Amino acid sequence: MKNKFLKATLAITMVAALFSSCKPKNSGDVVSGDAAQKAYVAPGKYDEFYNFVSGGFSGQVSVYGLPSGRLLRVVPVFSVDPQSGYGFSEETKPMLNTSHGFVPWDDQHHTELSQTNGEVDGRWLFANANNTPRIARLDLKTFKTAEIIELPNSAGNHSSPFITENTEYVVAGTRFSVPSDNANGDVPINTYKKNFKGYLSFVKVGKEGQMDIAFQIEAPGVNFDLSHAGKGKSHGWFFFSCYNTEQANTLLEVNASQKDKDFIMAVNWKKAEEYIKAGKGKKVSTKYAHNTWDEKTHTAKSEIRNEVLVLSAKELKDICYMIPCPKSPHGCDVDPTGEYIVGSGKLAALIPVFSFDKLQNAIKNKQFDGEYDGIPVVKYEAALHGEVQKPGLGPLHTEFDGKGNAYTTFFVSSEVVKWDIKSLKVLDRVPTYYSVGHLCIPGGDSRKPFGKYLIAYNKITKDRYLPTGPELAQSAQIFDISGDKMQLILDFPTIGEPHYAQAAPADLIRNNGQLKFFKIEDNKHPFATKGEKEAKVVRNGKRIDVYMTSIRSHFASDNIEGIKLGDEVYFHVTNLEQDWDVPHGFAIKGADNAELLIMPGETCTLKWTPEKVGIFPFYCTDFCSALHQEMQGYVRVSPAGSSVPLTFSLGTNLPATK
Ligand code: K7E
Ligand code: CUA
């Protein structure tokens, strides 16, 4: 058995060697047979880790297995999804409601798993929407988006959603500073310095995961780029990278690259909590949506809230401190001990590593270098642990392996560099193909990393795969980091544009009460049909409610007549199956929205407004049984004034009407 496998890998290696000779020169022939074996997960075997990868401009989160790189699922979060009907079905539309109305698309950059004691706990995954600022919570029992909260006073929700070590808060900083929601926003753009503010949102997470904005901190108007919570000794603090501290409002590529140092802003959120308790928060009027999914009714509801508590960083001098950081920092990462804070200056030729202990001392001894817009600036050297010299070009992000090593991605020099956190010595470097952005080590931003694999998410693919016209999929590359040297073992194309990703041991999520189907007796959907005998069609003026069931391999009812032009038809389809992996689909000719993909025990609603007289077939879109192709029906649509009576049936021919 083992021998056969070896022979097969040998054959693969030889074929690979043959093919690699005709590949473009610079693409690197790096995956040996030995390496391929490390990424090999035999058919039918499970992967070791779940990998939750942001979708960037696709707005969704995709889930891969590690180390195989197999795509397990794409979870719709911030963009409509015609495959599942997310954002198209009546039940899911409220999930995408905002203070701007229904928003069918967003840009999703960062995922963050919930933690307990600083360790990944497998309960929820948080995801940010960058464009229309929001945070989503995915329930990992169902892999569904369970909640979305909008963030007021924000624009470009980029340094988000990062969490504290017991998931007390999920935290978000605004990338674009803008005038506050309750201020007059009709101001000249070049009054940036005077009128634009940066807001940091602290969203409380309840026992069941429910999110609630506890408070916001009003900070100077700069670009807050990324953030991470302190942990262990630095629990109670949050760190945000800031660029455009020049406060430019035009041609930022030049005007926001003037200063040699920008900042990492350190936020003492425990202190902020005290001020909130002491009543120092100002109630500020605004408008934001809070959308929740109810698993019993299989329906979302959206509420608009009108107020938020705001603390002023300027007035309350001991919440926020600026640490100078070279130059235009992007990633802001905290090591597993909580002592070291790494700032990745995109335009810096070194990586500064700050010490939490030194920062505390500097604050205690007031080792300040004046103020920035009312915020004390800590002396650079006073907070600095040291600098990694000549690490590479264009550092972006850092993760940790839990063995004292840090791994930083370099966009410009296209590499991942491994370095020792204490000694700051570079230990190893590997090329990426090409221009790596984020990276992920399972648990790599927690107190307990699983330092076995590292995945690099690359922005440019060029010659790595068969060409597909002008657009190429972004690539991910998996490295084995269990030894001294990083070893590339696999690369694979991804969905959308992956930015940050998180990963957790498979068992943690698999054994955390994963749902296989929804119990039909628990279904509290107001239009649920719990048995075929209850199937009916009800007219209420121009509104038609079709109470429909699906089971292998028919719909009840499957012949419907008496629908008239001008009617609005709501198909409420309940999937009666009580078994794992038996969804049914529902689609009707001419529907201008999507199909429905209904999970066992669930009810979903498709709204359909017929535009023509005639016969409209509907059918199941998911091949569910040998007689799936028989799973179909017809709707008859008559002219507006027609006297055709409303009828519905299954398996019987009703007397013909004219
Ligand atoms: Cu570096 Cu939006 Cu986190 Cu992309 S961001 S890479
Ligand atoms: Cu049900 Cu196909």
Side-chain angles (χ1 to χ4, degrees):
M1 189 68 186
K2 204 170 178 196
N3 240 334
K4 253 191 211 164
F5 177 68
L6 277 178
K7 262 188 208 159
T9 32
L10 204 70
I12 290 168
T13 324
M14 277 157 62
V15 173
L18 256 176
F19 275 100
S20 62
S21 57
C22 44
K23 284 210 68 185
K25 270 211 182 86
N26 59 345
S27 70
D29 167 25
V30 275
V31 177
S32 68
D34 157 52
Q37 211 175 329
K38 288 184 177 173
Y40 181 74
V41 179
K45 291 273 185 280
Y46 287 164
D47 277 288
E48 274 177 83
F49 294 95
Y50 282 98
N51 186 199
F52 300 93
V53 184
S54 59
F57 41 63
S58 86
Q60 319 293 37
V61 168
S62 46
V63 186
Y64 297 85
L66 296 178
S68 73
R70 295 186 291 205
L71 176 65
L72 305 174
R73 171 124 233 104
V74 177
V75 183
V77 185
F78 291 114
S79 296
V80 295
D81 176 41
Q83 171 181 320
S84 62
Y86 180 82
F88 293 104
S89 71
E90 295 307 299
E91 290 82 359
T92 53
K93 278 179 188 169
M95 289 303 281
L96 298 179
N97 190 41
T98 72
S99 64
H100 305 265
F102 180 79
V103 171
W105 170 86
D106 217 299
D107 185 17
Q108 201 283 297
H109 282 223
H110 306 122
T111 55
E112 181 94 329
L113 287 161
S114 56
Q115 294 184 7
T116 305
N117 293 322
E119 293 178 22
V120 162
D121 62 23
R123 288 180 294 168
W124 310 301
L125 182 84
F126 297 91
N128 71 323
N130 205 24
N131 185 49
T132 303
R134 284 167 291 168
I135 294 174
R137 179 174 57 87
L138 279 61
D139 184 343
L140 296 181
K141 287 190 171 77
T142 55
F143 281 61
K144 276 186 179 234
T145 303
E147 189 175 1
I148 292 180
I149 196 161
E150 192 180 358
L151 304 170
N153 295 315
S154 303
N157 172 41
H158 196 259
S159 42
S160 162
F162 295 97
I163 60 164
T164 55
E165 70 178 22
N166 288 302
T167 319
E168 294 97 337
Y169 293 100
V170 47
V171 177
T174 192
R175 171 175 161 205
F176 306 112
S177 287
V178 284
S180 314
D181 288 353
N182 69 340
N184 174 21
D186 181 18
V187 294
I189 296 167
N190 65 14
T191 61
Y192 184 108
K193 285 181 186 158
K194 182 171 159 229
N195 289 318
F196 292 35
K197 301 279 178 249
Y199 278 84
L200 313 171
S201 305
F202 284 75
V203 178
K204 189 103 206 137
V205 180
K207 280 222 160 56
E208 303 300 318
Q210 60 299 7
M211 296 187 286
D212 190 16
I213 302 178
F215 58 91
Q216 292 191 309
I217 298 176
E218 188 192 293
V222 297
N223 289 43
F224 290 96
D225 207 11
L226 278 149
S227 63
H228 262 104
K231 47 174 94 85
K233 58 160 70 168
S234 54
H235 180 59
W237 288 75
F238 228 94
F239 304 94
F240 294 85
S241 56
C242 313
Y243 69 106
N244 190 25
T245 58
E246 295 86 348
Q247 301 189 307
N249 58 276
T250 183
L251 196 63
L252 262 65
E253 86 175 318
V254 176
N255 295 328
S257 306
Q258 298 298 311
K259 292 189 179 172
D260 276 343
K261 291 196 179 71
D262 294 274
F263 298 116
I264 284 178
M265 188 162 100
V267 178
N268 184 345
W269 60 260
K270 290 264 184 189
K271 195 90 213 167
E273 275 184 336
E274 286 171 22
Y275 282 128
I276 289 292
K277 270 202 199 110
K280 300 274 187 206
K282 253 186 259 145
K283 282 186 185 164
V284 170
S285 70
T286 177
K287 205 175 156 196
Y288 65 96
H290 181 213
N291 311 329
T292 48
W293 180 256
D294 182 335
E295 209 171 278
K296 293 286 183 256
T297 59
H298 302 287
T299 303
K301 73 166 187 288
S302 177
E303 285 171 359
I304 294 290
R305 302 213 178 150
N306 298 303
E307 211 173 61
V308 67
L309 267 183
V310 175
L311 291 173
S312 162
K314 226 187 225 179
E315 285 165 23
L316 307 164
K317 290 277 182 215
D318 51 357
I319 319 179
C320 297
Y321 300 91
M322 295 296 202
I323 313 169
C325 180
K327 172 177 186 177
S328 302
H330 187 57
C332 181
D333 300 288
V334 181
D335 92 306
T337 67
E339 165 64 5
Y340 300 109
I341 301 123
V342 180
S344 296
K346 304 187 294 280
L347 305 175
L350 51 81
I351 303 173
V353 180
F354 300 99
S355 149
F356 181 71
D357 287 343
K358 284 179 126 185
L359 173 70
Q360 293 308 300
N361 274 327
I363 291 170
K364 207 166 76 201
N365 302 325
K366 299 213 172 352
Q367 289 173 283
F368 298 143
D369 234 348
E371 287 189 345
Y372 178 85
D373 206 357
I375 313 290
V377 177
V378 174
K379 284 205 163 81
Y380 177 65
E381 282 76 18
L384 188 71
H385 161 62
E387 296 166 340
V388 185
Q389 296 298 334
K390 298 222 178 94
L393 295 175
L396 290 186
H397 297 284
T398 301
E399 290 259 275
F400 306 91
D401 65 2
K403 299 171 211 159
N405 303 306
Y407 300 77
T408 302
T409 54
F410 291 84
F411 180 84
V412 178
S413 52
S414 261
E415 57 188 336
V416 176
V417 174
K418 174 182 178 181
W419 49 279
D420 183 287
I421 306 170
K422 278 206 180 116
S423 74
L424 306 166
K425 288 223 168 63
V426 171
L427 303 173
D428 189 25
R429 53 179 75 233
V430 285
T432 57
Y433 306 99
Y434 305 90
S435 296
V436 57
H438 272 278
L439 77 169
C440 162
I441 291 172
D445 72 342
S446 75
R447 289 180 73 179
K448 187 181 164 194
F450 301 86
K452 188 169 180 188
Y453 303 113
L454 178 156
I455 313 99
Y457 299 97
N458 305 310
K459 301 298 181 192
I460 297 167
T461 308
K462 271 197 275 186
D463 51 20
R464 293 301 286 179
Y465 312 124
L466 283 174
T468 54
E471 192 186 5
L472 302 163
Q474 265 84 350
S475 79
Q477 294 186 292
I478 307 182
F479 298 86
D480 177 348
I481 56 164
S482 58
D484 287 343
K485 297 281 167 199
M486 297 177 269
Q487 183 187 23
L488 178 61
I489 59 173
L490 184 74
D491 73 8
F492 58 93
T494 59
I495 307 275
E497 181 185 358
H499 295 259
Y500 195 33
Q502 293 252 293
D507 287 350
L508 196 63
I509 288 164
R510 201 159 73 81
N511 302 332
N512 201 16
Q514 289 240 338
L515 227 66
K516 295 195 164 169
F517 56 85
F518 299 103
K519 283 193 189 136
I520 192 84
E521 63 264 31
D522 292 345
N523 184 328
K524 299 274 184 306
H525 190 292
F527 292 94
T529 311
K530 297 201 181 177
E532 283 182 8
K533 290 211 178 82
E534 294 170 30
K536 61 185 173 185
V537 181
V538 177
R539 174 182 287 281
N540 205 328
K542 293 207 173 296
R543 178 182 167 120
I544 306 277
D545 287 298
V546 181
Y547 294 73
M548 185 179 272
T549 62
S550 63
I551 198 159
R552 282 163 287 181
S553 302
H554 56 269
F555 292 101
S557 314
D558 70 358
N559 279 208
I560 297 169
E561 300 193 7
I563 308 290
K564 295 169 201 167
L565 275 190
D567 286 345
E568 277 186 346
V569 185
Y570 292 83
F571 294 97
H572 311 284
V573 187
T574 302
N575 180 349
L576 295 178
E577 306 281 354
Q578 291 288 276
D579 201 354
W580 196 19
D581 198 22
V582 197
H584 290 289
F586 177 85
I588 184 158
K589 185 183 174 187
D592 61 1
N593 38 16
E595 67 152 350
L596 296 174
L597 200 60
I598 310 135
M599 298 304 125
E602 192 183 30
T603 304
C604 296
T605 302
L606 190 83
K607 180 181 169 187
W608 179 61
T609 312
E611 301 289 344
K612 286 182 191 169
V613 167
I615 299 294
F616 293 82
F618 59 87
Y619 72 103
C620 170
T621 50
D622 188 325
F623 210 110
C624 51
S625 73
L627 295 172
H628 155 82
Q629 285 296 81
E630 281 71 15
M631 195 164 173
Q632 62 161 65
Y634 298 100
V635 174
R636 173 185 175 186
V637 176
S638 305
S642 155
S643 58
V644 175
L646 189 65
T647 58
F648 50 90
S649 61
L650 167 71
T652 47
N653 273 321
L654 299 171
T657 53
K658 268 197 58 191

